Coordinates of all heavy atoms in Angstrom, one line a residue:
M287 N -38.9 -8.6 -14.3 CA -37.6 -8.0 -14.8 C -36.4 -8.8 -14.2 O -36.3 -9.0 -13.0 CB -37.5 -6.6 -14.3 CG -36.6 -5.9 -15.3 SD -36.6 -4.3 -15.4 CE -36.2 -3.1 -14.7
S288 N -35.6 -9.2 -15.1 CA -34.4 -9.9 -14.6 C -33.1 -9.4 -15.3 O -33.2 -8.8 -16.3 CB -34.5 -11.4 -14.8 OG -34.3 -11.8 -16.2
D289 N -32.0 -9.8 -14.8 CA -30.7 -9.3 -15.4 C -30.5 -9.9 -16.8 O -29.9 -9.2 -17.6 CB -29.6 -9.8 -14.5 CG -29.5 -8.9 -13.3 OD1 -30.0 -7.8 -13.3 OD2 -28.8 -9.3 -12.3
T290 N -31.1 -11.0 -17.0 CA -30.9 -11.6 -18.4 C -31.6 -10.9 -19.5 O -31.3 -11.0 -20.6 CB -31.3 -13.1 -18.4 OG1 -32.6 -13.2 -17.8 CG2 -30.4 -14.0 -17.5
D291 N -32.6 -10.0 -19.1 CA -33.3 -9.3 -20.1 C -32.5 -8.1 -20.6 O -32.8 -7.5 -21.6 CB -34.6 -8.8 -19.5 CG -35.6 -9.9 -19.3 OD1 -35.5 -10.9 -20.0 OD2 -36.3 -9.8 -18.3
K292 N -31.5 -7.7 -19.8 CA -30.8 -6.5 -20.2 C -29.9 -6.7 -21.5 O -29.2 -7.7 -21.5 CB -29.8 -6.1 -19.1 CG -30.6 -5.5 -17.9 CD -29.6 -5.0 -16.8 CE -30.4 -4.5 -15.6 NZ -29.5 -4.4 -14.5
P293 N -30.0 -5.8 -22.4 CA -29.1 -5.9 -23.5 C -27.6 -5.8 -23.1 O -27.3 -5.2 -22.1 CB -29.5 -4.8 -24.4 CG -30.2 -3.8 -23.6 CD -30.8 -4.6 -22.4
T294 N -26.7 -6.5 -23.9 CA -25.3 -6.5 -23.5 C -24.7 -5.1 -23.4 O -23.7 -4.8 -22.8 CB -24.5 -7.3 -24.5 OG1 -24.8 -6.9 -25.8 CG2 -24.8 -8.8 -24.3
L295 N -25.3 -4.1 -24.2 CA -24.8 -2.8 -24.2 C -24.8 -2.1 -22.8 O -24.1 -1.2 -22.5 CB -25.6 -1.9 -25.2 CG -25.2 -2.1 -26.6 CD1 -26.1 -1.2 -27.5 CD2 -23.8 -1.7 -26.9
N296 N -25.7 -2.6 -21.9 CA -25.8 -2.1 -20.6 C -24.6 -2.5 -19.7 O -24.5 -2.0 -18.6 CB -27.1 -2.5 -19.9 CG -28.2 -1.5 -20.4 OD1 -28.0 -0.6 -21.1 ND2 -29.4 -1.8 -20.0
K297 N -23.8 -3.4 -20.2 CA -22.7 -3.9 -19.3 C -21.7 -2.7 -19.1 O -21.4 -2.0 -20.1 CB -22.0 -5.0 -20.0 CG -22.7 -6.4 -19.8 CD -21.8 -7.5 -20.3 CE -22.5 -8.8 -20.1 NZ -21.7 -9.9 -20.7
A298 N -21.2 -2.6 -17.9 CA -20.2 -1.6 -17.7 C -18.9 -1.9 -18.4 O -18.5 -3.0 -18.4 CB -20.0 -1.5 -16.2
P299 N -18.3 -0.9 -19.0 CA -17.0 -1.2 -19.6 C -16.0 -1.6 -18.6 O -15.9 -1.1 -17.5 CB -16.7 0.2 -20.2 CG -17.5 1.2 -19.5 CD -18.7 0.5 -19.0
Q300 N -15.2 -2.6 -19.0 CA -14.2 -3.1 -18.1 C -12.9 -2.3 -18.1 O -12.1 -2.3 -17.2 CB -13.9 -4.5 -18.5 CG -15.0 -5.5 -18.4 CD -15.4 -5.9 -17.0 OE1 -14.5 -6.3 -16.3 NE2 -16.7 -5.7 -16.7
M301 N -12.7 -1.5 -19.2 CA -11.5 -0.8 -19.3 C -11.4 0.4 -18.4 O -12.4 1.0 -18.0 CB -11.4 -0.3 -20.8 CG -11.1 -1.4 -21.7 SD -11.0 -0.9 -23.5 CE -11.2 0.8 -23.5
Y302 N -10.2 0.7 -18.0 CA -9.9 2.0 -17.2 C -10.4 1.9 -15.8 O -10.3 2.9 -15.1 CB -10.5 3.2 -18.0 CG -10.1 3.3 -19.4 CD1 -11.0 3.5 -20.4 CD2 -8.7 3.3 -19.7 CE1 -10.6 3.6 -21.7 CE2 -8.3 3.4 -21.0 CZ -9.2 3.5 -22.0 OH -8.8 3.6 -23.3
V303 N -11.0 0.8 -15.4 CA -11.5 0.8 -14.0 C -10.7 -0.3 -13.3 O -11.0 -1.5 -13.3 CB -13.0 0.4 -13.9 CG1 -13.4 0.4 -12.4 CG2 -13.8 1.4 -14.7
H304 N -9.6 0.1 -12.7 CA -8.7 -0.9 -12.0 C -8.0 -0.2 -10.8 O -7.1 0.6 -11.0 CB -7.7 -1.5 -13.0 CG -7.0 -0.5 -13.9 ND1 -6.1 0.4 -13.4 CD2 -7.2 -0.2 -15.2 CE1 -5.6 1.2 -14.4 NE2 -6.3 0.9 -15.5
Y305 N -8.6 -0.6 -9.7 CA -7.9 -0.1 -8.5 C -6.9 -1.2 -8.1 O -6.9 -2.3 -8.6 CB -8.9 0.1 -7.4 CG -9.8 1.3 -7.6 CD1 -11.0 1.1 -8.3 CD2 -9.4 2.5 -7.2 CE1 -11.8 2.2 -8.6 CE2 -10.2 3.6 -7.5 CZ -11.4 3.5 -8.1 OH -12.1 4.6 -8.4
C306 N -6.0 -0.8 -7.1 CA -5.0 -1.8 -6.6 C -5.8 -3.1 -6.2 O -6.8 -3.0 -5.5 CB -4.3 -1.1 -5.4 SG -3.1 -2.2 -4.6
E307 N -5.2 -4.2 -6.5 CA -5.9 -5.4 -6.2 C -5.6 -5.9 -4.8 O -6.1 -7.0 -4.4 CB -5.6 -6.5 -7.2 CG -4.2 -7.0 -7.2 CD -4.0 -8.3 -8.1 OE1 -4.5 -8.3 -9.2 OE2 -3.5 -9.2 -7.6
E308 N -4.7 -5.2 -4.1 CA -4.4 -5.6 -2.7 C -5.7 -5.4 -1.9 O -6.4 -4.4 -2.0 CB -3.3 -4.7 -2.2 CG -2.7 -5.2 -0.9 CD -1.8 -6.4 -1.1 OE1 -1.4 -6.7 -2.2 OE2 -1.6 -7.1 -0.1
D309 N -6.0 -6.4 -1.1 CA -7.2 -6.3 -0.2 C -7.1 -5.1 0.7 O -6.1 -4.8 1.2 CB -7.3 -7.5 0.7 CG -7.8 -8.7 -0.1 OD1 -8.3 -8.5 -1.2 OD2 -7.7 -9.9 0.4
E310 N -8.2 -4.4 0.7 CA -8.4 -3.2 1.6 C -7.6 -2.0 1.2 O -7.5 -1.0 1.9 CB -8.0 -3.5 3.1 CG -9.0 -4.5 3.7 CD -8.6 -4.9 5.1 OE1 -7.9 -4.2 5.7 OE2 -9.1 -5.9 5.6
C311 N -6.9 -2.1 0.1 CA -6.2 -1.0 -0.5 C -7.1 -0.2 -1.4 O -7.6 -0.8 -2.4 CB -4.9 -1.4 -1.2 SG -4.0 0.1 -1.9
M312 N -7.4 1.0 -1.2 CA -8.3 1.8 -2.0 C -7.6 2.7 -3.0 O -8.1 3.6 -3.6 CB -9.2 2.7 -1.2 CG -10.0 1.8 -0.1 SD -11.0 0.5 -0.9 CE -12.4 1.5 -1.5
E313 N -6.2 2.5 -3.2 CA -5.5 3.3 -4.1 C -5.8 3.0 -5.5 O -6.2 1.8 -5.8 CB -4.0 3.1 -3.9 CG -3.5 3.6 -2.5 CD -3.5 5.1 -2.4 OE1 -3.2 5.7 -3.4 OE2 -3.9 5.6 -1.3
W314 N -5.6 3.9 -6.4 CA -5.8 3.7 -7.8 C -4.7 2.8 -8.3 O -3.5 2.9 -7.9 CB -5.7 5.0 -8.6 CG -5.8 4.8 -10.1 CD1 -4.9 5.0 -11.0 CD2 -7.0 4.5 -10.8 NE1 -5.4 4.7 -12.2 CE2 -6.7 4.4 -12.1 CE3 -8.3 4.2 -10.4 CZ2 -7.6 4.1 -13.1 CZ3 -9.3 3.9 -11.3 CH2 -8.9 3.8 -12.7
G315 N -5.0 1.7 -9.1 CA -4.0 0.8 -9.6 C -3.4 1.3 -10.9 O -3.8 1.0 -12.0
G316 N -2.4 2.2 -10.7 CA -1.8 2.8 -11.8 C -0.7 2.0 -12.5 O -0.2 2.3 -13.5
F317 N -0.3 0.8 -11.8 CA 0.8 0.0 -12.4 C 0.3 -1.4 -12.7 O 0.0 -2.2 -11.8 CB 1.9 0.0 -11.3 CG 2.5 1.3 -11.1 CD1 1.9 2.2 -10.1 CD2 3.6 1.8 -11.8 CE1 2.4 3.4 -9.9 CE2 4.1 3.0 -11.6 CZ 3.5 3.9 -10.6
G318 N 0.2 -1.7 -14.0 CA -0.3 -2.9 -14.4 C 0.8 -3.9 -14.8 O 1.9 -3.5 -15.2
F319 N 0.5 -5.2 -14.7 CA 1.5 -6.2 -15.1 C 0.8 -7.4 -15.7 O -0.2 -7.8 -15.1 CB 2.4 -6.6 -13.9 CG 3.3 -7.7 -14.3 CD1 4.6 -7.4 -14.9 CD2 3.0 -9.0 -14.1 CE1 5.5 -8.4 -15.2 CE2 3.9 -10.0 -14.4 CZ 5.1 -9.7 -15.0
S320 N 1.3 -7.9 -16.8 CA 0.8 -9.1 -17.4 C 1.9 -9.9 -18.0 O 2.7 -9.4 -18.7 CB -0.2 -8.7 -18.5 OG -0.6 -9.8 -19.3
P321 N 2.0 -11.1 -17.6 CA 3.1 -12.0 -18.1 C 3.1 -12.2 -19.6 O 4.1 -12.5 -20.2 CB 3.0 -13.3 -17.3 CG 1.6 -13.3 -16.8 CD 1.1 -11.8 -16.7
S322 N 1.9 -12.2 -20.2 CA 1.8 -12.4 -21.6 C 0.5 -11.7 -22.1 O -0.4 -11.4 -21.3 CB 1.8 -13.9 -21.9 OG 0.5 -14.4 -21.7
K323 N 0.3 -11.6 -23.4 CA -0.9 -11.0 -24.0 C -2.1 -11.8 -23.7 O -3.2 -11.3 -23.8 CB -0.7 -10.8 -25.5 CG 0.2 -9.6 -25.8 CD 0.4 -9.5 -27.3 CE 1.3 -8.3 -27.6 NZ 1.7 -8.3 -29.0
A324 N -1.9 -13.1 -23.5 CA -3.1 -14.0 -23.2 C -3.6 -13.8 -21.8 O -4.7 -14.3 -21.5 CB -2.7 -15.4 -23.4
V325 N -2.8 -13.2 -20.9 CA -3.3 -13.1 -19.5 C -3.7 -11.6 -19.3 O -3.0 -10.7 -19.6 CB -2.1 -13.4 -18.6 CG1 -2.5 -13.3 -17.1 CG2 -1.6 -14.8 -18.9
P326 N -4.9 -11.4 -18.7 CA -5.3 -10.1 -18.4 C -4.4 -9.4 -17.5 O -3.9 -10.0 -16.6 CB -6.7 -10.3 -17.8 CG -7.1 -11.7 -18.1 CD -5.8 -12.5 -18.3
S327 N -4.2 -8.1 -17.6 CA -3.3 -7.4 -16.7 C -3.9 -7.3 -15.3 O -5.1 -7.3 -15.1 CB -3.1 -5.9 -17.2 OG -2.4 -5.9 -18.4
R328 N -3.0 -7.4 -14.4 CA -3.4 -7.1 -13.0 C -2.8 -5.8 -12.6 O -1.9 -5.3 -13.2 CB -2.8 -8.2 -12.1 CG -3.3 -9.6 -12.4 CD -2.5 -10.7 -11.8 NE -2.7 -10.7 -10.3 CZ -2.0 -11.4 -9.5 NH1 -1.0 -12.1 -10.0 NH2 -2.2 -11.4 -8.2
W329 N -3.5 -5.1 -11.6 CA -3.2 -3.7 -11.4 C -2.9 -3.5 -9.9 O -3.6 -4.0 -9.0 CB -4.3 -2.8 -11.8 CG -4.5 -2.9 -13.3 CD1 -5.3 -3.7 -14.0 CD2 -3.8 -2.1 -14.3 NE1 -5.2 -3.5 -15.3 CE2 -4.3 -2.5 -15.6 CE3 -2.9 -1.1 -14.2 CZ2 -3.9 -1.9 -16.7 CZ3 -2.4 -0.5 -15.4 CH2 -3.0 -0.9 -16.7
W330 N -1.9 -2.7 -9.6 CA -1.6 -2.3 -8.2 C -1.3 -0.9 -8.1 O -0.9 -0.2 -9.1 CB -0.4 -3.1 -7.7 CG -0.5 -4.6 -7.6 CD1 -0.9 -5.3 -6.5 CD2 -0.3 -5.6 -8.7 NE1 -0.9 -6.6 -6.8 CE2 -0.5 -6.8 -8.1 CE3 0.2 -5.5 -10.0 CZ2 -0.4 -8.0 -8.8 CZ3 0.3 -6.7 -10.7 CH2 0.0 -7.9 -10.1
C331 N -1.4 -0.3 -6.9 CA -0.8 1.0 -6.7 C 0.7 0.8 -6.6 O 1.2 -0.3 -6.6 CB -1.3 1.6 -5.4 SG -0.8 0.7 -3.9
W332 N 1.5 1.9 -6.6 CA 2.9 1.7 -6.6 C 3.4 1.0 -5.4 O 4.3 0.1 -5.5 CB 3.6 3.1 -6.7 CG 5.1 3.0 -6.6 CD1 5.9 3.4 -5.6 CD2 6.0 2.5 -7.6 NE1 7.2 3.1 -5.8 CE2 7.3 2.5 -7.1 CE3 5.8 2.0 -8.9 CZ2 8.4 2.1 -7.8 CZ3 6.9 1.5 -9.6 CH2 8.2 1.6 -9.1
E333 N 2.8 1.3 -4.3 CA 3.3 0.7 -3.0 C 3.2 -0.8 -3.1 O 4.0 -1.6 -2.5 CB 2.4 1.2 -1.9 CG 3.1 1.1 -0.5 CD 2.2 1.6 0.6 OE1 1.5 2.6 0.4 OE2 2.1 0.9 1.6
H334 N 2.1 -1.3 -3.7 CA 1.9 -2.8 -3.7 C 2.3 -3.4 -5.0 O 2.3 -4.7 -5.1 CB 0.4 -3.1 -3.5 CG -0.1 -2.7 -2.1 ND1 -1.1 -1.9 -1.9 CD2 0.4 -3.1 -0.9 CE1 -1.3 -1.7 -0.5 NE2 -0.4 -2.4 0.1
F335 N 2.8 -2.7 -5.9 CA 3.2 -3.2 -7.2 C 4.4 -4.2 -7.0 O 5.4 -3.8 -6.5 CB 3.6 -2.1 -8.1 CG 3.9 -2.6 -9.5 CD1 3.0 -3.3 -10.3 CD2 5.2 -2.2 -10.1 CE1 3.3 -3.7 -11.6 CE2 5.5 -2.6 -11.4 CZ 4.5 -3.4 -12.1
P336 N 4.2 -5.5 -7.3 CA 5.2 -6.5 -6.9 C 6.3 -6.6 -8.0 O 7.2 -7.4 -7.8 CB 4.4 -7.8 -6.8 CG 3.2 -7.6 -7.7 CD 3.0 -6.1 -7.8
H337 N 6.2 -5.9 -9.1 CA 7.2 -6.1 -10.1 C 8.1 -4.9 -10.4 O 8.8 -4.9 -11.4 CB 6.4 -6.4 -11.4 CG 5.5 -7.6 -11.3 ND1 6.0 -8.9 -11.3 CD2 4.2 -7.7 -11.2 CE1 5.0 -9.7 -11.2 NE2 3.9 -9.0 -11.1
K338 N 8.1 -4.0 -9.4 CA 9.0 -2.9 -9.6 C 10.4 -3.3 -9.4 O 10.7 -4.1 -8.5 CB 8.6 -1.7 -8.7 CG 8.6 -2.1 -7.2 CD 8.0 -1.0 -6.4 CE 7.8 -1.4 -4.9 NZ 6.9 -0.5 -4.2
T339 N 11.3 -2.6 -10.1 CA 12.7 -2.9 -10.0 C 13.4 -1.9 -9.1 O 12.8 -0.9 -8.8 CB 13.4 -2.9 -11.3 OG1 13.3 -1.5 -11.8 CG2 12.7 -3.8 -12.3
N340 N 14.6 -2.2 -8.6 CA 15.3 -1.3 -7.8 C 15.5 0.0 -8.5 O 15.5 1.1 -7.9 CB 16.7 -1.9 -7.4 CG 16.5 -2.9 -6.3 OD1 15.5 -3.0 -5.6 ND2 17.5 -3.8 -6.2
E341 N 15.8 -0.1 -9.8 CA 16.0 1.1 -10.6 C 14.8 2.0 -10.6 O 14.8 3.2 -10.5 CB 16.4 0.8 -12.0 CG 17.8 0.3 -12.2 CD 18.0 -1.2 -11.7 OE1 16.9 -1.9 -11.6 OE2 19.1 -1.6 -11.3
Q342 N 13.6 1.4 -10.8 CA 12.4 2.1 -10.8 C 12.1 2.8 -9.5 O 11.7 4.0 -9.4 CB 11.2 1.2 -11.1 CG 11.1 0.8 -12.6 CD 10.0 -0.2 -12.8 OE1 9.9 -1.2 -12.1 NE2 9.2 0.1 -13.8
E343 N 12.4 2.0 -8.4 CA 12.1 2.6 -7.1 C 13.1 3.8 -6.8 O 12.6 4.8 -6.3 CB 12.4 1.5 -6.0 CG 11.8 1.9 -4.7 CD 11.3 0.6 -3.9 OE1 11.8 -0.5 -4.1 OE2 10.3 0.8 -3.1
K344 N 14.3 3.6 -7.2 CA 15.3 4.7 -7.0 C 14.9 5.9 -7.8 O 14.9 7.0 -7.3 CB 16.7 4.2 -7.5 CG 17.8 4.8 -6.8 CD 19.1 4.1 -7.2 CE 20.2 5.1 -7.4 NZ 21.4 4.6 -8.1
A345 N 14.5 5.7 -9.0 CA 14.1 6.8 -9.8 C 12.9 7.6 -9.2 O 12.8 8.8 -9.2 CB 13.7 6.3 -11.2
L346 N 11.9 6.8 -8.7 CA 10.8 7.4 -8.1 C 11.2 8.2 -6.8 O 10.7 9.3 -6.6 CB 9.8 6.3 -7.7 CG 8.4 6.9 -7.2 CD1 7.5 7.2 -8.4 CD2 7.7 5.9 -6.3
M347 N 12.1 7.6 -6.0 CA 12.5 8.3 -4.8 C 13.2 9.6 -5.2 O 13.0 10.7 -4.6 CB 13.4 7.4 -4.0 CG 12.8 6.3 -3.3 SD 11.3 6.7 -2.4 CE 12.0 7.7 -1.1
E348 N 14.0 9.6 -6.2 CA 14.7 10.8 -6.7 C 13.7 11.9 -7.1 O 13.8 13.0 -6.9 CB 15.7 10.5 -7.8 CG 17.0 9.9 -7.2 CD 17.9 9.3 -8.3 OE1 17.5 9.4 -9.5 OE2 18.8 8.6 -7.9
K349 N 12.7 11.4 -7.8 CA 11.6 12.3 -8.3 C 10.9 12.9 -7.1 O 10.6 14.1 -7.1 CB 10.6 11.5 -9.1 CG 9.9 12.3 -10.2 CD 9.2 11.3 -11.1 CE 7.8 11.9 -11.5 NZ 7.0 10.9 -12.2
L350 N 10.6 12.1 -6.1 CA 9.9 12.6 -4.9 C 10.8 13.6 -4.2 O 10.3 14.6 -3.7 CB 9.5 11.4 -4.0 CG 8.4 10.5 -4.5 CD1 8.2 9.4 -3.5 CD2 7.1 11.3 -4.7
N351 N 12.0 13.3 -4.1 CA 13.0 14.2 -3.4 C 13.1 15.5 -4.1 O 13.1 16.6 -3.5 CB 14.4 13.5 -3.3 CG 14.4 12.5 -2.2 OD1 13.5 12.5 -1.3 ND2 15.3 11.6 -2.3
A352 N 13.1 15.4 -5.5 CA 13.2 16.7 -6.3 C 11.9 17.5 -6.0 O 12.0 18.7 -5.9 CB 13.3 16.3 -7.7
T353 N 10.8 16.9 -6.0 CA 9.5 17.6 -5.8 C 9.6 18.3 -4.4 O 9.2 19.4 -4.2 CB 8.3 16.7 -5.9 OG1 8.5 15.9 -7.1 CG2 7.0 17.4 -5.9
D354 N 10.1 17.5 -3.4 CA 10.2 18.0 -2.1 C 11.0 19.3 -2.0 O 10.6 20.2 -1.4 CB 10.8 16.9 -1.2 CG 10.4 17.0 0.2 OD1 9.2 17.5 0.5 OD2 11.1 16.7 1.1
K355 N 12.2 19.2 -2.7 CA 13.0 20.4 -2.7 C 12.4 21.6 -3.3 O 12.5 22.7 -2.8 CB 14.3 20.0 -3.5 CG 15.3 19.3 -2.6 CD 16.5 18.8 -3.5 CE 17.3 17.7 -2.8 NZ 18.1 16.9 -3.7
V356 N 11.7 21.4 -4.4 CA 11.0 22.5 -5.1 C 10.0 23.1 -4.2 O 9.8 24.3 -4.1 CB 10.3 22.0 -6.4 CG1 9.4 23.1 -7.0 CG2 11.4 21.6 -7.4
L357 N 9.2 22.3 -3.4 CA 8.2 22.8 -2.6 C 8.7 23.6 -1.4 O 8.1 24.5 -0.9 CB 7.3 21.6 -2.0 CG 6.4 20.9 -3.1 CD1 5.8 19.7 -2.5 CD2 5.4 21.9 -3.6
K358 N 10.0 23.2 -1.0 CA 10.5 23.9 0.2 C 11.2 25.3 -0.2 O 11.5 26.0 0.7 CB 11.6 23.0 0.8 CG 10.9 22.0 1.7 CD 11.9 21.0 2.3 CE 11.3 19.9 3.1 NZ 12.2 18.8 3.4
Q359 N 11.4 25.5 -1.5 CA 12.1 26.7 -1.8 C 11.2 28.0 -1.7 O 10.0 27.9 -1.9 CB 12.6 26.6 -3.3 CG 13.9 25.9 -3.3 CD 14.4 25.6 -4.7 OE1 13.7 25.9 -5.7 NE2 15.5 25.0 -4.9
Ligands
ZN600 ZN1 -2.2 -0.8 -3.1

């Protein structure tokens, strides 16, 4: 029995399985980036996502602060 005997249907689907590509980071890679359609997307967690803008970061912090306030009430 060898791997080459397996039908291609047994291949694990590549979609939806993408953790942060940072070494030793086990976070879910919820933030993808691809420079073009010809390039497969790369995925990172928010902390390691290298393409976030200041606006995005600010919005996220405001969201976190808002959640924090709600929890404290
Ligand atoms: Zn990460």
Side-chain angles (χ1 to χ4, degrees):
M287 201 160 74
S288 79
D289 283 341
T290 51
D291 293 329
K292 287 182 185 168
T294 51
L295 280 176
N296 277 356
K297 279 187 180 173
Q300 300 283 311
M301 290 178 1
Y302 305 127
V303 183
H304 45 75
Y305 290 92
C306 176
E307 68 167 49
E308 193 74 20
D309 284 348
E310 295 178 17
C311 178
M312 303 303 282
E313 295 290 320
W314 179 252
F317 297 87
F319 178 82
S320 170
S322 81
K323 282 179 183 169
V325 181
S327 292
R328 297 167 69 191
W329 297 91
W330 295 268
C331 67
W332 175 253
E333 200 183 322
H334 292 126
F335 186 57
H337 302 284
K338 59 190 172 193
T339 64
N340 285 339
E341 286 75 22
Q342 283 176 312
E343 193 146 31
K344 209 171 139 196
L346 186 85
M347 289 311 293
E348 279 167 9
K349 205 168 142 190
L350 288 176
N351 285 339
T353 310
D354 205 34
K355 279 174 196 158
V356 170
L357 288 174
K358 280 175 184 166
Q359 275 173 0

